[in-house]
Amino acid sequence: LMADAIFRSLIRSFVTGRRLLEWETAAEAESGAQRQTPVEMTMRMVPLLCVAVALLVWAVRPLSLPWALPILFLWAMTQPITRWLNRPTHDLEIHLSGSEEQFLRQVAWRTWRYFARFSTEAGHFLIPDNVQLEEDGSFREAMRLSPTNAGLQLNARQAAITLGYLTLPEYIEQTLINLQTLDRIPKWRGHLLNWFHTDTLEPIRPFIVSSVDSGNFLASLCSLRTGTLELENTPLLPPLAAGLADAACVAKKPSDLDKKVTAILREQDRHPSGQWLRSVLALPVAGQDANSPLADRLKALDRFIGDYLPWLHPKFSQTELSPAAKLEDFTPKTALEACRALSTAPPQDAAATAALRDAAQRWESLLEQLDAIAQIAERMFRDTDYKPLVDPYRRLLTIGYNTETDAPLNSCYDLLASEARTAMFLAVAKGDVLQETWFKAGRKTRVIEGVPVMLSWSGTMFEYMMPALWMQTYPGTLLAQSLPGAVTAQRMYVARQKIPWGISEAGYSQRDPKGNYHYHAFGVPTLALNPPPEGALVIAPYATLLALSADPVHALQNMRRMEKMGWLAEFGFYEAADYSRDREPLNKQPYVLVKSWMAHHQGMSLLALTNLLADNPFQRWFHADPRVRATEMLLHEKPIEAMPPEPMPKVPAMTFPAANPASAN
């Protein structure tokens, strides 16, 4: 390796004077493009070299051959061993049945509908913080936004295009609108302030920068950048077929259009490539309900095919257009090449030729816009400065910074089992803080079912699981044993009650004078240094969806149970079910449903579902960033000794005292 580098450097510097700036760019590395260097090609010949050396040893000193063979064998196996060591690590695998996958996709589709329905022009197409279902069926929208909500909205759109709920032009247009809006909002040291109005884009007092919210936003930007670049080489049409199937199956009373689309898609494998698409686009949608999600998706698909892949559109079905690539293989780059090739083919229909040329220009524009999204996301990521958010004495991240008083907030995040784990990690990855900030965070543990599990502040699922939406969990590490252990503690806590599990910060049934649900961090006492209010028991469905990454089998069973209880609604699972004793049940139910949806809970749910259904794309995109790769060794920390085991607290059988409203607020 050294000789090759020295020789090439000397020849290029003093002889040829060419190729002096040869390296693999970040864009090439992230695109997954494979390029064979002379060194790599030479290394492929190592097995042959080993055979030659073995023959030489046998000829010169035969008695040494038994000693040389093990070394030569290991040398020859260098590449297979390296590939094995570099393979993605999966401590937990789950094989979904067809019905399980369909159920998860139905939940994902409904959850995505929250973002599709409530991102409107009145709010600059930014998602409201929460939407509350009123008694009369109307919706009450909280027109405010935090950095976490903003980032999760961007990632939710990535989930939508991955699952087939958006076409590429829709994804690009909507993402650019959001990014350009967020880019022009005034910031402090690159940070978005913690709350601002979506209708006026003005910040909300107090003007605080939140360390956690900024960290979540940066993680979203990181995944957005690399995931958007990956779209340049991602097949376009297979996800759209799956997305149409989800939209067609969601209705309780399927329409004729739903039934026809479902029938066509079920038979797509038996038809020639592209036939299912022409059959779907030939269906009449003009007379459909304007609010029909399926009709809306069919219209979007018709526009996409007509503008970008015209040879697949029914209006050109009589024209001889036959690109070499298969329908399932078309990516933005190969589609552009196909449009160019077909438009310059032998003379054909003039309208088709013009459509192909227009399509080629549109593809060129889309590829430029994909790069623009990546560039804006990278600039916003790079400009965010975490140095002022570190306590200089404790070397920990502060809760945040008050920009009006120009002073950091007094408290710090001092536990690794915290939602601040993402911010800590990225602050180190960006080079804004030293690694010691990560190791200063506490790792106090407690044995649960024989496994040491880190303690958190409130014992919520949110604290443990949210960072895992982006950050990989490696087998045999401290985090790998703590996350499933936290799920076990949650399940055990309500086992006697025989109710669904999943406790986290959430809205609950008490309301303020304006009728808005109150919000509190509910947790499991076994996991908490600061136990929740005594007697409160609020089950948040999104907590179960977060647990899909750590315990998918039990999480899926719990989701099925909640769905049968009527907790799954038009825009995904409701916010919570309040089982607390002092809540007055309705319809003789032992709980009160909190019928609202919160943006960050919906976003986390959609990311968790997409990670399970699509092989962890958000983790892949996050770790594709070179800065993250250079820092990910922090996530390989091994377990440490635990506190002595303690009995698991149990929820009394509905005999606990009422929660203190003052503390719950």
Side-chain angles (χ1 to χ4, degrees):
L1 288 172
M2 290 296 181
D4 174 83
I6 292 170
F7 179 76
R8 280 205 259 175
S9 298
L10 292 174
I11 293 297
R12 294 178 185 181
S13 299
F14 299 107
V15 180
T16 65
R18 300 177 59 201
R19 302 181 71 182
L20 296 176
L21 297 176
E22 181 188 27
W23 63 72
E24 183 181 39
T25 65
E28 290 172 330
E30 289 157 3
S31 69
Q34 299 294 324
R35 185 177 62 174
Q36 294 295 323
T37 66
V39 174
E40 290 172 322
M41 289 185 285
T42 303
M43 293 301 291
R44 289 182 179 276
M45 299 174 62
V46 164
L48 295 177
L49 179 60
C50 291
V51 173
V53 173
L55 293 174
L56 181 63
V57 172
W58 178 72
V60 175
R61 189 174 295 181
L63 295 177
S64 298
L65 188 60
W67 304 95
L69 282 178
I71 298 174
L72 291 172
F73 175 76
L74 289 175
W75 190 13
M77 295 296 292
T78 296
Q79 282 198 323
I81 291 173
T82 302
R83 283 196 295 267
W84 176 72
L85 288 172
N86 288 338
R87 78 197 189 287
T89 54
H90 297 287
D91 189 35
L92 185 64
E93 293 186 1
I94 182 173
H95 301 285
L96 298 172
S97 66
S99 61
E100 289 172 337
E101 183 174 355
Q102 184 179 15
F103 169 69
L104 290 169
R105 290 190 65 97
Q106 286 297 298
V107 177
W109 166 256
R110 290 170 184 262
T111 306
W112 162 246
R113 290 294 302 160
Y114 173 84
F115 294 91
R117 165 67 174 79
F118 296 108
S119 301
T120 62
E121 187 175 3
H124 291 87
F125 298 100
L126 298 171
I127 196 70
D129 175 66
N130 65 81
V131 175
Q132 189 167 311
L133 179 61
E134 299 295 272
E135 295 294 334
D136 61 359
S138 62
F139 297 108
R140 180 190 300 197
E141 301 180 34
M143 303 297 286
R144 59 180 180 270
L145 189 75
S146 71
T148 294
N149 296 354
L152 288 173
Q153 182 179 13
L154 296 170
N155 283 174
R157 199 170 287 113
Q158 288 183 279
I161 194 170
T162 299
L163 298 176
Y165 304 153
L166 285 177
T167 63
L168 184 62
E170 289 177 304
Y171 168 82
I172 290 175
E173 179 185 9
Q174 295 173 21
T175 301
L176 274 176
I177 288 174
N178 280 169
L179 274 181
Q180 290 166 353
T181 300
L182 295 169
D183 198 25
R184 73 172 187 264
I185 293 176
K187 301 175 182 64
W188 180 86
R189 303 290 288 267
H191 296 266
L192 288 168
L193 295 182
N194 199 38
W195 290 104
F196 53 90
H197 297 284
T198 56
D199 48 358
T200 64
L201 301 183
E202 295 178 351
I204 300 174
R205 278 194 160 87
F207 298 156
I208 300 293
V209 168
S210 166
S211 297
V212 164
D213 284 275
S214 285
N216 295 337
F217 185 61
L218 289 185
S220 299
L221 289 177
C222 189
S223 298
L224 176 70
R225 185 178 69 87
T226 54
T228 297
L229 290 174
E230 186 182 277
L231 286 173
E232 296 179 355
N233 297 290
T234 299
L236 297 165
L237 294 174
L240 293 176
L244 278 180
D246 293 344
C249 294
V250 74
K252 292 182 179 179
K253 295 181 179 180
S255 65
D256 289 339
L257 182 62
D258 294 325
K259 295 176 182 177
K260 290 177 181 177
V261 170
T262 300
I264 292 171
L265 294 176
R266 283 177 179 170
E267 300 293 325
Q268 62 175 300
D269 293 336
R270 303 181 186 179
H271 294 296
S273 182
Q275 184 57 45
W276 70 267
L277 187 58
R278 294 189 179 93
S279 299
V280 166
L281 294 179
L283 295 174
V285 296
Q288 296 296 318
D289 182 359
N291 296 321
S292 167
L294 178 58
D296 178 69
R297 297 318 310 144
L298 287 173
K299 292 174 185 176
L301 182 62
D302 183 82
R303 290 192 300 269
F304 173 57
I305 299 301
D307 290 344
Y308 293 89
L309 302 170
W311 66 87
L312 295 172
H313 199 277
K315 64 184 177 183
F316 294 115
S317 59
Q318 304 302 318
T319 307
E320 292 295 329
L321 299 173
S322 55
K326 294 181 180 179
L327 173 69
E328 295 78 10
D329 297 335
F330 275 112
T331 69
K333 288 186 175 180
T334 57
L336 172 60
E337 295 169 359
C339 289
R340 287 171 173 170
L342 290 172
S343 64
T344 58
Q348 54 189 340
D349 181 80
T353 301
L356 288 165
R357 289 174 179 168
D358 290 343
Q361 293 177 354
R362 293 188 182 101
W363 279 120
E364 291 172 355
S365 176
L366 283 188
L367 288 170
E368 292 174 358
Q369 290 173 324
L370 286 173
D371 289 337
I373 290 173
Q375 290 170 10
I376 296 173
E378 168 61 19
R379 176 168 47 78
M380 295 177 73
F381 181 96
R382 189 178 59 246
D383 291 348
T384 303
D385 185 7
Y386 259 92
K387 297 184 187 72
L389 297 177
V390 179
D391 187 298
Y393 301 104
R394 300 180 65 187
R395 313 281 177 85
L396 292 168
L397 278 186
T398 61
I399 298 293
Y401 200 96
N402 189 322
T403 63
E404 293 184 284
T405 62
D406 195 25
L409 303 181
N410 292 329
S411 301
C412 293
Y413 289 103
D414 58 356
L415 293 172
L416 190 63
S418 164
E419 68 273 24
R421 192 161 71 246
T422 306
M424 294 179 198
F425 181 88
L426 287 174
V428 174
K430 291 176 82 278
D432 292 346
V433 304
L434 299 177
Q435 286 188 8
E436 64 177 335
T437 298
W438 176 269
F439 293 108
K440 286 280 186 180
R443 288 150 169 81
K444 186 176 294 186
T445 61
R446 177 169 291 147
V447 174
I448 297 174
E449 291 291 283
V451 177
V453 177
M454 285 191 295
L455 299 181
S456 69
W457 180 246
S458 301
T460 66
M461 195 76 80
F462 172 74
E463 293 169 296
Y464 290 90
M465 301 300 173
M466 184 180 187
L469 294 173
W470 301 290
M471 294 196 290
Q472 292 179 2
T473 304
Y474 298 94
T477 61
L478 176 63
L479 289 169
Q481 82 178 13
S482 290
L483 302 190
V487 178
T488 299
Q490 293 250 344
R491 292 174 49 230
M492 293 174 62
Y493 183 60
V494 298
R496 287 179 56 197
Q497 292 294 93
K498 297 182 180 180
I499 63 175
W501 52 269
I503 300 175
S504 197
E505 60 176 57
Y508 60 103
S509 60
Q510 287 189 356
R511 305 193 189 207
D512 65 15
K514 295 182 179 179
N516 300 305
Y517 288 115
H518 286 196
Y519 190 86
H520 188 77
F522 301 99
V524 174
T526 311
L527 300 172
L529 292 176
N530 179 41
E534 185 179 0
L537 181 58
V538 176
I539 305 300
Y542 86 90
T544 296
L545 273 70
L546 284 178
L548 284 169
S549 63
D551 191 347
V553 173
H554 288 109
L556 184 54
Q557 292 173 354
N558 205 41
M559 289 173 61
R560 287 281 199 183
R561 184 177 183 183
M562 294 187 295
E563 187 260 345
K564 290 179 181 178
M565 295 173 70
W567 297 6
L568 181 62
E570 180 182 2
F571 302 114
F573 282 104
Y574 285 126
E575 170 66 6
D578 192 341
Y579 281 87
S580 300
R581 183 66 173 179
D582 66 335
R583 314 296 184 247
E584 184 176 346
L586 298 176
N587 301 322
K588 297 184 179 180
Q589 292 283 4
Y591 58 84
V592 176
L593 269 182
V594 180
K595 295 185 177 181
S596 68
W597 300 271
M598 303 203 72
H600 64 303
H601 296 169
Q602 294 293 95
M604 289 188 289
S605 298
L606 187 55
L607 267 61
L609 288 163
T610 307
N611 276 336
L612 184 64
L613 290 166
D615 196 20
N616 295 306
F618 288 98
Q619 293 184 357
R620 184 178 72 248
W621 296 330
F622 184 79
H623 284 263
D625 188 286
R627 292 158 295 202
V628 171
R629 290 203 302 269
T631 315
E632 63 186 14
M633 283 300 294
L634 295 178
L635 304 177
H636 288 262
E637 182 178 348
K638 297 299 182 182
I640 57 180
E641 292 185 4
M643 294 168 55
E646 294 184 7
M648 171 66 70
K650 305 293 184 182
V651 179
M654 303 306 289
T655 60
F656 40 79
N660 182 353
S663 64
N665 290 342

